[in-house]
Amino acid sequence: MNLGAHISISGGVYKCFARAKELGANSIQIFVKNNNRWFSKPFTYQELEKFQIEREKHQPFSVNAHNAYLINLCSPKTDIEKKSISAMKDEINRCEQLKLHYLVIHPGSHLGIGERWGINKIAQNLNRIIEEMAETKVKILLETTAGQGTNLGYRFEQLRDILDIMKYKERFGICYDTCHTFAAGYDITTTGKYQQVMNQFDKIIGLDHIHLFHLNDSKYELGSRKDRHFHIGAGYIGLEGFRALINDKRFYNIPMVLETPKGENGKMDKINLKTLRDLRK
Ligand SMILES: [Zn+2]
Ligand SMILES: [Zn+2]
């Protein structure tokens, strides 16, 4: 199974592989810099070399990135918008240096200006970024969100609308987060409901646009629009929903990573991964 978790890069980006091995993960997600800061110092040549050596040792392996939380591509504040664009470019560069395939991003928060305005702004900025970085390859995955506050991307239609405006369509895709979509109102608690949601996604965006899954149960109920990840099977989604997803043959080759609370020494990651593996028929 192409299964794993979000893994820390503290002490050096290459350290994610040893941590993943310890966990028994063959698919991971990392931050390519400190996720609570705008900028970090560039990777050194040695760091980059070490990363590839470690990666090689652990083949076959899927490693993808998630962008920093401060980035907001539709901030109505011009200085934050500017900073977000350059930070986003920095993230893309770092992914290129590490030779990663996917970079997950939260579309953005319009902060009260309006959803349509926000969607256009995000699309405009993404087009501009990719245009100015035409030599890069990493695919940007728009993540489904819970719709907390003024976050965009909580309706499949909003993600479709952004993708529709993209000039370089091959550079974009979707990361499906089970907790976020559930909190946004997409019910996958039974096999039947799961199929309905996937049919809906397929009709609006197309299932072939999903390149990564974030597997998280939800601490809050359906439609709460609260983004709180919880242990697999212990939240409001429950085991049946995850059983349906884990056994969906259409996604056997798609990497899936946990973003659930890790507990002491990452103990909970091991438990959550075992829960998911045990669901596979
Ligand atoms: Zn995310
Ligand atoms: Zn997520």
Side-chain angles (χ1 to χ4, degrees), residues 49-66:
E49 195 178 46
K50 223 164 172 180
F51 184 84
Q52 297 308 337
I53 291 170
E54 284 294 304
R55 184 190 212 168
E56 205 55 45
K57 269 199 245 168
H58 293 83
Q59 291 294 352
F61 206 93
S62 147
V63 48
N64 299 301
H66 190 298

Side-chain angles (χ1 to χ4, degrees), residues 17 48 53 63 70 78 101 103 107 141 146 175 213 235 269 271:
F17 295 109
L48 293 174
I53 291 170
V63 48
L70 296 170
T78 321
H101 292 122
L103 168 61
L141 303 184
C175 169
F213 279 96
D269 272 357
I271 294 173

Side-chain angles (χ1 to χ4, degrees), residues 180-277:
H180 296 174
T181 44
F182 181 78
Y186 295 103
D187 191 355
I188 57 162
T189 52
T190 65
T191 307
K193 287 175 179 170
Y194 166 84
Q195 291 300 352
Q196 275 176 19
V197 168
M198 285 302 151
N199 287 345
Q200 213 179 335
F201 188 98
D202 198 28
K203 233 185 252 164
I204 298 168
I205 301 177
L207 290 175
D208 54 336
H209 286 81
I210 300 177
H211 297 289
L212 184 67
F213 279 96
H214 286 166
L215 299 187
N216 306 305
D217 209 327
S218 176
K219 195 168 184 176
Y220 291 102
E221 60 276 28
L222 179 73
S224 61
R225 288 180 68 171
K226 281 188 197 158
D227 179 5
R228 294 286 182 284
H229 301 181
F230 209 48
H231 303 298
I232 303 297
Y236 278 90
I237 297 177
L239 288 181
E240 286 320 302
F242 288 101
R243 195 192 308 277
L245 174 56
I246 270 299
N247 289 294
D248 191 334
K249 290 198 173 64
R250 295 172 292 188
F251 303 132
Y252 273 16
N253 292 317
I254 306 294
M256 299 181 172
V257 293
L258 292 170
E259 296 177 317
T260 41
K262 291 193 174 291
E264 214 180 305
N265 299 318
K267 184 178 87 184
M268 288 314 294
D269 272 357
K270 283 189 183 160
I271 294 173
N272 284 316
L273 286 177
K274 185 179 183 315
T275 305
L276 288 166
R277 282 197 196 99

Side-chain angles (χ1 to χ4, degrees), residues 11-121:
V13 69
Y14 62 91
K15 290 198 172 168
C16 64
F17 295 109
R19 289 178 184 134
K21 191 178 179 184
E22 149 73 13
L23 194 60
N26 57 0
S27 165
I28 61 168
Q29 175 177 276
I30 57 172
F31 290 122
V32 291
K33 60 185 227 16
N34 184 323
N35 65 311
N36 289 314
R37 294 215 196 119
W38 283 105
F39 297 98
S40 295
K41 59 177 193 301
F43 292 127
T44 62
Y45 173 75
Q46 285 87 343
E47 267 181 298
L48 293 174
E49 195 178 46
K50 223 164 172 180
F51 184 84
Q52 297 308 337
I53 291 170
E54 284 294 304
R55 184 190 212 168
E56 205 55 45
K57 269 199 245 168
H58 293 83
Q59 291 294 352
F61 206 93
S62 147
V63 48
N64 299 301
H66 190 298
N67 78 342
Y69 296 134
L70 296 170
I71 295 175
N72 181 7
L73 292 175
C74 65
S75 174
K77 297 175 192 141
T78 321
D79 55 328
I80 301 294
E81 185 192 8
K82 264 194 191 152
K83 236 174 167 177
S84 294
I85 292 169
S86 36
M88 182 67 197
K89 285 181 165 178
D90 182 48
E91 297 253 355
I92 291 175
N93 268 328
R94 285 170 169 265
C95 288
E96 290 295 306
Q97 287 184 308
L98 296 173
K99 302 189 172 83
L100 306 186
H101 292 122
Y102 303 120
L103 168 61
V104 178
I105 71 164
H106 295 180
S109 300
H110 63 79
L111 304 174
I113 303 288
E115 293 191 336
R116 180 45 52 191
W117 178 88
I119 283 165
N120 286 329
K121 195 77 173 163

